[in-house]
Amino acid sequence: MNEFAEETIHPDLQQNIRRLREISDNTSDLMVNEFLLSGIPAALLTCEGMVATSIITELILEPITHVQLSAPTAQTVFSHIQNRLLLSLDRSEAKNYRDLFRFLNSGFAVLILHGASSALVFGVQGYDKRAVMEPSGESNIMGARDGLIEVVRINMSLLRRRMKTPFLKMELFPVGDKTQTDLCLCYMHDRVPQKLVREIRERLQSTELESVLSTGYLQPFLENRRGNLFDTVSTTQRPDVLCAKLLEGRVGILIDGVPYAMIVPKLFSESFQTMDDYCFRPYYTTCIRWIKYLAFLITLLLPALYVAVALHHPELLNRTLLLLLAQSEENAPLSLTAEAIGVLLIYEIIREAGLRLPKAVGGSVSIVAGLIIGDAAVSSGLISTPILTVTAIAVISGFVLPDLNQPLTLLRLGMILAGGLWGLFGISLVGAAVLFNLCAGESFGMPSTAPIAPFRRKSMRDVLTRVSFRKMQSGHFTVEEYHE
Amino acid sequence: MNRIRSGQLTTALLLSNAFMLMCMSAPMGMESMWGAVIAFVLQGILCIPMLLLYKEGFTLTAYCSRKHYIVPLLFVLYFIVRGGISFLLLWKGSEHLSLPFSQPLITAALIGAVCLYTASLGLRTFARAGTIAFGFLIFTLGILLLGAWQRIDFQQLYPTADNTVFGSAMHILSLGDTLPALFVLLSFTDQKSAFSSLRFLGLSLLLWEVILFLCITVLGNLLSAAEYPFFLLTSVSQPLTTQRADAFYLIVFVLLCVIRLTLLTVLSAHLLGMLFPGLRCRSILSILGMIGAAAAFSAMGFEENLWCIIGIVLFACVIPLLFCLRMKKNPEWKEEPTS
Amino acid sequence: MRKIFAVLFSICTLLCTGCSKSVTEVRDRIYIQGAKLGGSPTLTELTLYPFEETGTPISGEGLTMAAAIEETAVQSGKAVFMGHLELLCFDRASFTDSMQECMEEYRLSPACKLLYLHETELPEGIDTTLLTDQLRQEEENGRIPETDLFHVLSECAGDDGAALVPVLSEEGFGVGLLQNGEFLGTLSSHAVQGLCWLRGENYPRRISVAGNDRMVNYEVHSAQTELSAEIQNGIPHVTVTLRLRGSGNSEAAKRLIKAACSIAAEETVKEMHADVIGLDACLRKDCPKYYAQHDFETAKFAAVFDVVVTAS
């Protein structure tokens, strides 16, 4: 903890300014404007680049300089400003240096007066921010086009625009010793169990993090056990998705500076649901959902099954396929397992390269990878065509479930290794371990495998199928129903 | 709290039973189908004392907390012995499966390692995994039915000379070793103990009858020569032409084996934990005990016999009955310890 | 705890990697489509016919079948994989004794076709694909009863050990009977036709019957065979009920089917004392008391057959 955290604001203006400069080590972006306010020495502190200069001039400096009281003291001037002048909608008071700096560095203008042991703060933020635009990571066809941005207050407004109910509650509090990042806990206070909110709040407030720069910093504090392969906290870039989740009694966490919202708890079955599912017709959505389940199995198991069956149980393969495989493998220099793992590793390298490189160069990576390496590797006989095809199908299937990309990438490799070493026996063993790992996932008492395990027949209407809203409108569902 | 739902109790025990069904090696015939009915009715009767006991409010946690060591330790021993028998069945069965190992001990070691992990995740995780595995079992049975459908010959449903209804009933009863597990699991079940027990027995009977029916009508004359009828059934039931699909069933066999061993490990580790809270590595001890027991049975040439039935009757019926009779004198067995 | 798991699992993995059977790569196997077993009781001669794409026929011999397979593996320089075997030809009936073992050991498909070579040899350079397809077509058209490995094994495991197998002789394709390692003989074409109806597995789609002035087709849409038995005067009376649905001259068809079935029963049950129509199962099911009291092995071959054909 910083030594100035609880230090109260010094009443002597010059000493106060000296102390402020001392704490901030004469940082260049601290702007101190000294002037007389009704004859009392005062200073308006701002952080350069964080405030809108025109607003300060018009709405604060202009009215303040006209304040003339008959017997001015620091208290009467403060009281006058607070009670008679409506300089900003977002007003507050800082009692100590920690709060003062937090406000200052959040884009507030801070007014200090000689003789006052507190400071008045006015919200006049005017920093540059990204416009609200379509989320890049969660595209959809029929859903809304706006996405969360880096400014927590804008994100709050995006949420509020969709949820006009007074039951939507948003709690702002800072986390991170150094960054003092604003977190916003959002929930429907008529739907969410209070115990869940309390527990989340306590966990977030009890973190000893210095900084919170992305969702990953907080995620471990919201998970119940280590060693989970699958996330029990979900993230979204879409305010409409966040609203839907809040209506189901979940808690959302917005982080200032992060264009993602975290949602607790997360169910595994949600990885297969998108906003579009609720825009299309139910029969189509049901079909697409089953295709996604199939894609999950394909991306996880197809290369492993292929290797296991080809090496250990060729009698399971179709005759034509087996002969095709035998012919194409005739001149391959590597073992089938090594080939499969190699192709997957190369794919991961290419993917990472495509992601990290500048967009202009990123495109050429896929050309080099797909056309040059892929074609050359097959025609030179380094890699057989069937294994390349199988891996490509598995990888493409994985694109259907971006949420599960991380665990699937690792599990796919593990499955291939197990399948190559021990055939279907190995796949089954690893599969059993993964199944148990998945079932062990729990978020604040809510099992992530719900509503499949524990099984809830009623919930199958949005898991195995997607029934129409005529049926779904009745019986407001909340995740609390899954609590064990 | 480590409580499970009644549906989860049903699936967990059913899956454990399904493993024993797959490993069944006795001669089968139409008598086995009647024998299964009798065996499950008998199991239902054996359950009555434990259901009455739990209706009175008995909890195993309360019982163990009163420093009663002998009965829980006997249960631990029983689960370890049954685990050992399961390993033994796996070893024997693995000779008929397309496993990539020449040594059955490696198979056991690998499954044991996975079970250590799965058992460490606790009873609740086990119960949830059981629900998903149950779905997988149903799917597999669907595939089996699809493959076997064309080979079903109703003419094969005739009484056999070398099999009796009573003998089959006793043999199937000896495989119904999940009743003692039911007794312990009822301590962790929320409600509907009688309903979930009946559902478990009913579904188990259905499963047995389906598999027995398929084995008899599909294998026909081959049944008498089959050491493991289920494995032979999988090798001749072909959902596709010119290929055998039995390797596919290896997946469900291993999964069921893991589920069964995890159940036995979780229960024995849990009981050990209730008796000796300071004892560490309880799951490892249980698994090692099971592998040791399997090795000993293998050396002794163990076979399912009367001792199994005695064990089941003792743990599933006699002990609960004695508890029932002594319940009035020991009302503290009803309460959960507050500490 | 987790560290212990990790260490244990790693050790197991390492152990298993070293101890497991070395994995045979796809390219290191030869995939066999057809096989021919022959030789004498003391020497097994084996010719393997790989799929055209993967190799040329190879021959080997050994004291046992396993030894012969080893020999062929050595000759081809690859591991022999018989899981996709489609045709197994053999010229000694006693090979059926070891078929089940073969099926488990070499993972033979139960749908693999068997062909008994009766006093003939497979011609040099024979196309096993063609031979298999011809057999399959014979079955699909209801010209011979279904006789794959599973059926033969199942029949061999029956009480009298009699099994129906396709036979290749100098006259061409036919169907013969094997019993306890002996070849009993080839059946007449009428009997083979009758067996298709009696066994009720693959019915012909069409039969040629006499019309007014020429032979015409009777199209079989569906059929069902049912065997029932009762004891009359101490003799089992077996009634074969055949329910036909088809179009054409049904009376002529009924006469033809009835005659074929009678010939089939006469040749197999009466003359060869072989039960390949499920007689044993039928009698056990319908006359269990009689079965328990009498020497049924003798009695069942004295059974009287009555074939009832109904057509709609």
Side-chain angles (χ1 to χ4, degrees), chain A residues 15-33:
Chain A
Q15 274 197 24
N16 201 354
I17 292 170
R18 210 174 302 126
R19 181 67 182 135
L20 282 165
R21 290 195 193 283
E22 198 180 293
I23 291 169
S24 62
D25 198 14
N26 279 319
T27 180
S28 308
D29 59 347
L30 172 64
M31 296 174 71
V32 181
N33 292 292

Side-chain angles (χ1 to χ4, degrees), chain A residues 39-145:
Chain A
I40 300 172
L44 189 70
L45 314 173
T46 52
C47 185
E48 194 176 2
M50 297 287 283
V51 290
T53 320
S54 56
I55 296 174
I56 286 192
T57 315
E58 277 179 37
L59 299 179
I60 297 175
L61 288 179
E62 179 72 20
I64 277 178
T65 45
H66 287 107
V67 173
Q68 286 297 331
L69 301 178
S70 51
T73 62
Q75 281 68 34
T76 52
V77 172
F78 262 15
S79 162
H80 178 82
I81 292 170
Q82 269 196 313
N83 300 330
R84 301 284 175 88
L85 301 175
L86 199 65
L87 301 177
S88 163
L89 290 174
D90 193 3
R91 291 180 302 165
S92 188
E93 201 175 330
K95 299 269 184 202
N96 54 40
Y97 286 110
R98 184 186 57 188
D99 290 347
L100 188 148
F101 271 104
R102 190 161 61 81
F103 282 119
L104 190 63
N105 295 336
S106 302
F108 282 67
V110 179
L111 178 69
I112 49 175
L113 268 177
H114 182 76
S117 53
S118 63
L120 287 181
V121 296
F122 311 98
V124 283
Q125 291 93 331
Y127 39 76
D128 282 338
K129 57 185 181 290
R130 194 162 59 96
V132 173
M133 51 206 287
E134 191 172 357
S136 54
E138 273 176 273
S139 322
N140 71 12
I141 300 167
M142 303 213 10
R145 291 280 184 265

Side-chain angles (χ1 to χ4, degrees), chain B residues 83-319:
Chain B
I85 292 169
S86 306
F87 268 118
L88 193 66
L89 289 172
L90 174 73
W91 292 356
K92 285 183 176 174
S94 62
E95 290 165 13
H96 297 262
L97 295 166
S98 48
L99 289 178
F101 310 112
S102 44
Q103 296 288 324
L105 192 66
I106 300 165
T107 315
L110 272 174
I111 289 192
V114 171
C115 288
L116 270 183
Y117 172 68
T118 52
S120 73
L121 298 173
L123 186 61
R124 204 180 255 181
T125 301
F126 164 76
R128 286 178 204 149
T131 311
I132 296 173
F134 178 68
F136 189 61
L137 178 71
I138 297 290
F139 174 71
T140 310
L141 281 176
I143 300 265
L144 186 66
L145 266 171
L146 202 72
W149 189 252
Q150 288 191 322
R151 294 201 191 274
I152 289 176
D153 178 10
F154 287 94
Q155 290 278 20
Q156 300 297 333
L157 284 171
Y158 55 76
T160 51
D162 48 356
N163 214 357
T164 62
V165 174
F166 179 75
S168 301
M170 287 302 109
H171 185 76
I172 292 168
L173 184 63
S174 76
L175 297 173
D177 60 348
T178 34
L179 285 192
L182 172 68
F183 175 67
V184 178
L185 278 176
L186 282 176
S187 275
F188 307 107
T189 311
D190 285 334
Q191 54 194 342
K192 300 182 197 166
S193 56
F195 173 68
S196 50
S197 308
L198 278 177
R199 188 169 52 183
F200 151 62
L201 290 173
L203 285 175
S204 292
L205 175 62
L206 182 69
L207 183 69
W208 275 79
E209 292 293 350
V210 168
I211 298 293
L212 284 173
F213 172 77
L214 286 180
C215 283
I216 294 165
T217 54
V218 171
L219 295 179
N221 294 328
L222 279 176
L223 191 60
S224 54
E227 200 175 346
Y228 289 95
F230 181 80
F231 298 147
L232 189 61
L233 174 70
T234 59
S235 67
V236 301
S237 54
Q238 292 169 285
L240 304 164
T241 52
T242 68
Q243 290 134 279
R244 20 190 313 169
D246 53 339
F248 167 74
Y249 298 94
L250 185 66
I251 298 176
V252 76
F253 178 72
V254 172
L255 183 63
L256 290 182
C257 182
V258 169
I259 295 258
R260 178 175 168 81
L261 288 169
T262 305
L263 171 70
L264 296 170
T265 312
V266 164
L267 291 183
S268 59
H270 206 89
L271 286 174
L272 282 174
M274 285 202 284
L275 295 173
F276 312 107
L279 184 68
R280 291 173 63 84
C281 304
R282 296 186 291 266
S283 300
I284 295 179
L285 284 177
S286 304
I287 290 272
L288 288 179
M290 287 173 194
I291 294 178
F297 292 145
S298 176
M300 284 156 47
F302 175 88
E303 284 193 10
E304 297 281 346
N305 54 24
L306 191 65
W307 287 108
C308 298
I309 300 178
I310 293 173
I312 292 164
V313 174
L314 177 71
F315 286 99
C317 185
V318 178
I319 291 177

Side-chain angles (χ1 to χ4, degrees), chain A residues 189-263:
Chain A
H189 70 82
D190 60 332
R191 296 257 169 110
V192 74
Q194 285 309 305
K195 193 181 163 210
L196 176 67
V197 178
R198 197 168 51 243
E199 213 172 315
I200 292 173
R201 193 188 298 123
E202 277 168 12
R203 284 201 199 181
L204 291 175
Q205 286 177 340
S206 65
T207 59
E208 291 174 12
L209 288 170
E210 276 198 331
S211 57
V212 179
L213 300 175
S214 78
T215 54
Y217 283 60
L218 293 177
Q219 189 158 338
F221 298 97
L222 298 169
E223 287 178 334
N224 282 37
R225 58 179 286 274
R226 288 181 296 164
N228 267 353
L229 285 169
F230 298 90
D231 286 338
T232 50
V233 178
S234 65
T235 53
T236 181
Q237 252 184 307
R238 308 185 62 89
D240 47 358
V241 171
L242 181 58
C243 285
K245 302 290 177 199
L246 296 184
L247 282 166
E248 289 177 350
R250 290 172 225 257
V251 176
I253 300 152
L254 297 167
I255 306 169
D256 193 32
V258 178
Y260 285 92
M262 299 169 83
I263 303 164

